């Protein structure tokens, strides 16, 4: 038995190393690429709405109670420091998402799932639902200046909802019986039936038109970015696998 | 029995990289999305709003 065990250690070690390298490399490429595109989409489609809202948040513009305000004010343009930080943090965030996704892809492939750029599209959609849409359905994307409950309470609700939705997505994708679909439905519904922490009163100074556009844009850009991160993750996972096999 | 033991240890090792990557990934997302330290919050402010994290 002892020689066998030794044999396992010797065999498993390079294989495990290869697995670390394959997961990390695929996730870094996929996350950085999708994150960069996400950041650019955000700068073009979300940032102007956010900057417009901030004019109301700071009181520079006032909604109601005065002369009608133009819906097309002069917005501050590209801010090198602020927007560069946004690009870096978006790339980091999507790399974090990609690490989780590629790790789960490796587990799924071990169970017989096909992982490539095409199936990655569905992984991306599931990731969007898990990390963005499920929490956002009740804790709607917040435009600056919006009234909200205590941030720690909302983070707890956000985290629990994301965890529940993530398990639900896995059960829907890989569950083998009706019970797993039922559990998935319960996991998806319950956080919203319980409800997210809400503010005591509404004091948001931002026009509803801006708030609605912000939520729509945040979800739209989020979905595009997630679908890309999924597809890229599938692509790099497969490409890295072929590269490792070729060099082995 | 020997085969079983071998499979079990191989499977255990096989999951380690995935677990490591998930922990690392969630750590990165927590840092960029949730940690309320002022410097991090200010730097990630626009991203948190745009990506659907609770911000303030």
């Amino acid at each position: 038995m002892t020689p066998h065990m030794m044999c396992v250690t010797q065999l498993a070690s390079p294989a495990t190393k290869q697995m670390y390298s394959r997961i990390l490399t695929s996730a870094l490429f996929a996350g950085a690429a999708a994150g960069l595109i996400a950041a650019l989409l955000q700068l073009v489609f979300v940032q102007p709405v956010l900057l417009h809202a901030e004019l109301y948040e700071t009181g520079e513009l006032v909604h109601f109670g005065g002369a009608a305000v133009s819906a097309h004010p002069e917005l501050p343009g590209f801010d090198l420091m602020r927007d560069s930080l946004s690009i870096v943090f978006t790339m980091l965030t999507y790399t974090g998402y990609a690490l989780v996704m590629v790790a789960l892809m490796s587990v799924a492939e071990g169970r017989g799932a096909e992982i490539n750029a095409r199936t990655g599209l569905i992984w991306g959609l599931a990731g969007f639902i898990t990390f963005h849409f499920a929490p956002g359905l009740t804790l709607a994307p917040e435009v600056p200046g919006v009234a909200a409950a205590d941030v720690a309470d909302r983070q707890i609700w956000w985290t629990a909802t994301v965890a529940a939705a993530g398990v639900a997505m896995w059960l829907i994708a890989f569950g083998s019986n009706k019970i797993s679909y039922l559990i998935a439905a319960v996991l998806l519904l319950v956080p919203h039936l319980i409800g997210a922490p809400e503010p005591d009163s509404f004091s948001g100074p931002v026009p509803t038109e801006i708030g609605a556009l912000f939520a729509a844009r945040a979800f739209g850009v989020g979905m595009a970015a997630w679908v890309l991160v999924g597809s890229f993750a599938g692509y790099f996972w497969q490409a890295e696998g072929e590269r490792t096999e070729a060099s082995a | 029995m020997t085969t079983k033991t071998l499979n079990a240890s191989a499977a255990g090792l096989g999951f380690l990289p995935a677990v490591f990557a998930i922990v690392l990934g969630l750590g990165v997302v927590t840092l960029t999305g949730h940690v309320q330290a002022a410097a991090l919050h200010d730097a990630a402010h626009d991203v948190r709003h745009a990506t659907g994290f609770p911000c303030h």
Side-chain angles (χ1 to χ4, degrees):
Chain A
M1 191 170 166
T2 317
H4 281 216
M5 295 302 283
M6 277 176 65
C7 179
V8 164
T9 328
Q10 282 164 359
L11 279 175
S13 189
T16 310
K17 268 187 200 161
Q18 260 176 18
M19 191 55 105
Y20 275 112
S21 135
R22 188 178 172 190
I23 290 178
L24 295 180
T25 312
S26 315
L28 281 178
F29 278 124
L36 181 61
I37 297 172
L40 296 177
L41 288 173
Q42 280 175 3
L43 284 180
V44 174
F45 292 108
V46 184
Q47 192 69 7
V49 189
L50 187 144
L51 292 172
H52 194 172
E54 282 187 343
L55 295 179
Y56 287 91
E57 187 187 22
T58 56
E60 196 167 313
L61 292 181
V62 181
H63 188 213
F64 291 132
V69 177
S70 165
H72 308 281
E74 186 98 354
L75 295 173
F78 184 81
D79 179 329
L80 186 64
M81 183 62 159
R82 177 176 180 170
D83 293 339
S84 302
L85 278 171
S86 292
I87 293 174
V88 170
F89 273 83
T90 306
M91 289 174 76
L92 270 175
T93 304
Y94 278 90
T95 303
Y97 292 151
L99 280 165
V100 176
M101 183 186 280
V102 173
L104 293 174
M105 281 176 162
S106 78
V107 175
E109 195 180 61
R111 294 161 48 102
E114 193 184 332
I115 304 295
N116 54 42
R118 190 181 289 265
T119 58
L121 294 169
I122 301 175
W123 279 79
L125 211 51
F128 168 69
I129 293 170
T130 301
F131 277 93
H132 204 158
F133 191 68
L137 188 66
T138 293
L139 212 56
E142 297 163 5
V143 76
V146 76
D150 179 57
V151 67
D153 292 346
R154 284 181 291 136
Q155 285 177 336
I156 291 169
W157 188 90
W158 187 97
T159 307
T161 304
V162 166
V167 173
M169 288 298 113
W170 186 271
L171 288 174
I172 290 169
F174 303 112
S176 46
N177 56 51
K178 286 181 181 130
I179 303 282
S180 52
Y181 299 133
L182 193 69
I183 296 172
V186 169
L187 285 172
L188 286 173
L189 287 170
V190 161
H192 305 286
L193 293 174
I194 294 173
E198 286 175 17
D200 294 329
S201 62
F202 295 132
S203 57
V206 179
T208 178
E209 291 88 340
I210 296 178
L213 181 62
F214 183 83
R217 287 275 171 93
F219 276 147
V221 167
M223 183 158 76
W226 264 107
V227 167
L228 288 176
V229 91
S231 185
F232 291 172
Y235 171 79
F236 283 114
W237 174 254
Q238 203 186 45
E240 279 300 299
E242 280 167 11
R243 195 181 60 82
T244 329
E245 259 175 41
S247 66
Chain B
M1 189 201 155
T2 315
T3 323
K4 248 186 181 173
T5 318
L6 289 177
N7 285 344
S9 46
L13 284 172
F15 272 106
L16 262 185
V19 171
F20 170 75
I22 289 173
V23 171
L24 183 65
L26 291 179
V28 171
V29 171
T30 304
L31 211 63
T32 60
H34 288 304
V35 174
Q36 288 295 311
L40 262 180
H41 171 274
D42 293 351
H45 174 268
D46 297 353
V47 179
R48 290 183 182 187
H49 276 285
T51 318
F53 292 97
C55 192
H56 301 282

